[in-house]
Amino acid sequence: MDLLRNTVQPYDWGSRTLLPELMGVPPTGAPQAELWMGAHPAAPSRVLRGGVPVPLDRVVAGDPEGELGAGTVRRFGPRLPFLLKLLAADAPLSVQVHPDRAQARAGFAREDALGVPRDAAHRTYRDDQHKPEMIVALTPFRGLCGFRSPADTAGLLDSLRVPALRPYAETLRAVPGRRALAEVFRAFLRPPAGLLDAVARALADAAADSGEARLAAYDRVARTHPGDAGLLSALMLRYVELAPGEALFLGSGVPHAYLSGLGVEIMASSDNVLRCGLTSKHVDAEELTRVVRFDASPARVLTPREEGGEEAYPAPVDDFRLSRYLLRPGGPRRRVTLDAPQILLCVAGGITVSSAGERLRIGPGRAVYVPAGAEAGLEGSGTAFRATTGTAGRPGRGAGSGELRAEE
């Protein structure tokens, strides 16, 4: 096993305090948005080899079956198929969607054939992988996820009393559901002059008058990203609040944006993001509307299910599996040996990871990488998350597992 040395991403939307507070270190004064744990080539974790830090993706490439196990290599190729993060948001992220496998493969091949450089700012597909993801709240966590019903969005637009919004509200009421969402969403990507300023002013007044959390969230979006058309897309999405321990799974085509809070995020190891707005980055409106799923349904908020001493968060994909251990003082050592690679992350207290006679004690924000087949155990007092593949031979991976509540 290896203690991971990880990279903090200083994105503008990141909190200046949440990650330092978790890790017990002084803040730098700069945003600290994400701590990456894994082998993604953009910011791979590092492990010591002969006293020298070596990127984890290079370690995996040197012995894929030894590090990942034969089953993982057969299913995903010679790469770690998941990426684990600590995400700390203090401002709204971009409204975005992720492609499914077929869309990613086709889009990546198309841009390669056109000669678009893979690191070009206007490139849409960075790789040929899908990017399902899950966020588990460590603090109260707020976000936008999935479309509300056309009628609900029409009611919100009417409540803002902006005359220029009336045609959109009428479309949402008069046109059948999915078609209405698609028509208004496409129109909102290119709003007429003056509409964004009028909506921003109306949101500020409505939020001040009502004190409603949903309106306050949209008002914050408008203030954080003035003049950005992504505000109108955001108005079509459901406002979601997660309590600590609750989670959201986000599949392909689901528009979403995180707003604030600290959480553990796991995803397929991909960099494919199609943005709707709230960003200075490239927006490919044509491809975006092909990828978005115009389905209106309540956000599915997950709570974990107990499985043999750990709590598992169900996800209907095999790229990753996420679970947590709530360890008590003097409790038993938990055996965590698997036939797949693992990352063990401490988020509270202190835990000890043991393997082959070696013991590593880690505190919040520290993580250990355990290769496939290595005998490993956990003990201590605190909370640890375990990230591995969804093919690691554990139960409870279906979409129907765990407890769900609908978030309106």
Side-chain angles (χ1 to χ4, degrees):
M1 65 178 175
D2 293 277
L3 181 67
L4 292 179
R5 291 154 173 81
N6 303 308
T7 298
V8 173
Q9 303 285 15
Y11 305 138
D12 289 344
W13 49 262
S15 169
R16 288 169 167 78
T17 59
L18 287 172
L19 275 179
E21 286 174 356
L22 177 79
M23 300 177 72
V25 299
T28 64
Q32 298 184 55
E34 294 180 347
L35 182 72
W36 286 28
M37 292 157 279
H40 193 288
S45 301
R46 299 167 304 285
V47 299
L48 288 182
R49 289 292 184 271
V52 177
V54 179
L56 186 57
D57 58 340
R58 193 185 306 170
V59 171
V60 170
D63 183 11
E65 288 204 4
E67 297 293 331
L68 307 177
T72 299
V73 174
R74 282 195 303 271
R75 176 65 184 86
F76 302 103
R79 65 185 187 91
L80 188 67
F82 62 86
L83 176 64
L84 185 67
K85 299 179 180 180
L86 281 169
L87 183 147
D90 192 43
L93 283 67
S94 61
V95 178
Q96 58 189 258
V97 298
H98 306 300
D100 62 25
R101 280 195 174 101
Q103 291 163 340
R105 288 169 182 161
F108 184 72
R110 182 172 60 249
E111 290 188 303
D112 268 1
L114 291 171
V116 182
R118 293 184 182 179
D119 59 352
H122 64 284
R123 178 149 184 150
T124 298
Y125 290 96
R126 304 288 175 177
D127 53 62
D128 63 355
Q129 301 294 325
H130 70 163
K131 192 186 176 189
E133 61 187 47
M134 178 186 288
I135 186 82
V136 178
L138 296 180
T139 67
F141 197 93
R142 298 166 182 84
L144 305 173
C145 178
F147 289 107
R148 289 197 311 275
S149 71
D152 188 19
T153 299
L156 172 61
L157 299 185
D158 286 343
S159 73
L160 296 178
R161 299 179 182 178
V162 175
L165 287 177
R166 288 174 189 159
Y168 305 105
E170 290 170 2
T171 297
L172 289 166
R173 289 194 174 94
V175 175
R178 290 183 179 180
R179 210 178 91 204
L181 292 174
E183 286 187 20
V184 173
F185 182 84
R186 291 187 181 101
F188 276 173
L189 292 173
R190 297 181 178 87
L195 179 58
L196 290 171
D197 287 343
V199 171
R201 290 192 298 270
L203 279 170
D205 292 341
D209 290 343
S210 73
E212 185 182 339
R214 179 178 67 168
L215 290 174
Y218 297 135
D219 177 43
R220 189 160 184 249
V221 167
R223 294 175 186 274
T224 307
H225 297 276
D228 192 306
L231 169 64
L232 301 179
S233 301
L235 293 177
M236 300 182 71
L237 305 184
R238 295 181 184 276
Y239 173 68
V240 180
E241 292 185 349
L242 299 180
E246 292 184 328
L248 273 177
F249 173 80
L250 299 162
S252 60
V254 178
H256 61 278
Y258 300 144
L259 302 177
S260 64
L262 177 67
V264 175
E265 186 180 35
I266 190 167
M267 61 187 62
S269 188
S270 170
D271 201 23
N272 283 327
V273 179
L274 289 92
R275 296 173 177 86
C276 313
L278 309 186
T279 179
S280 59
K281 295 182 179 180
H282 176 57
V283 175
D284 183 344
E286 183 178 350
E287 184 67 13
L288 173 68
T289 54
R290 281 200 291 263
V291 169
V292 171
R293 293 186 178 182
F294 294 101
D295 295 322
S297 58
R300 287 159 56 102
V301 178
L302 295 160
T303 55
R305 185 177 72 178
E306 198 281 329
E307 292 180 0
E310 68 174 346
E311 297 182 332
Y313 288 89
V317 295
D318 55 8
D319 307 77
F320 61 77
R321 179 180 183 273
L322 187 66
S323 58
R324 71 176 180 179
Y325 288 87
L326 305 178
L327 302 172
R328 306 300 182 202
R333 178 179 180 269
R334 308 295 177 87
R335 185 176 181 270
V336 294
T337 302
L338 286 178
D339 57 358
Q342 304 178 71
I343 293 177
L344 304 171
L345 166 67
C346 179
V347 297
I351 65 170
T352 298
V353 186
S354 55
S355 179
E358 183 183 9
R359 293 170 62 85
L360 286 174
R361 182 169 175 80
I362 57 174
R366 273 68 180 187
V368 170
Y369 166 73
V370 182
E375 176 72 29
L378 274 180
E379 57 191 316
S381 176
T383 302
F385 278 82
R386 170 161 74 166
T388 185
T389 71
T391 58
R394 300 288 293 179
R397 297 192 307 273
S401 303
E403 297 180 10
L404 298 171
R405 68 173 173 85
E407 181 76 19
E408 295 296 339

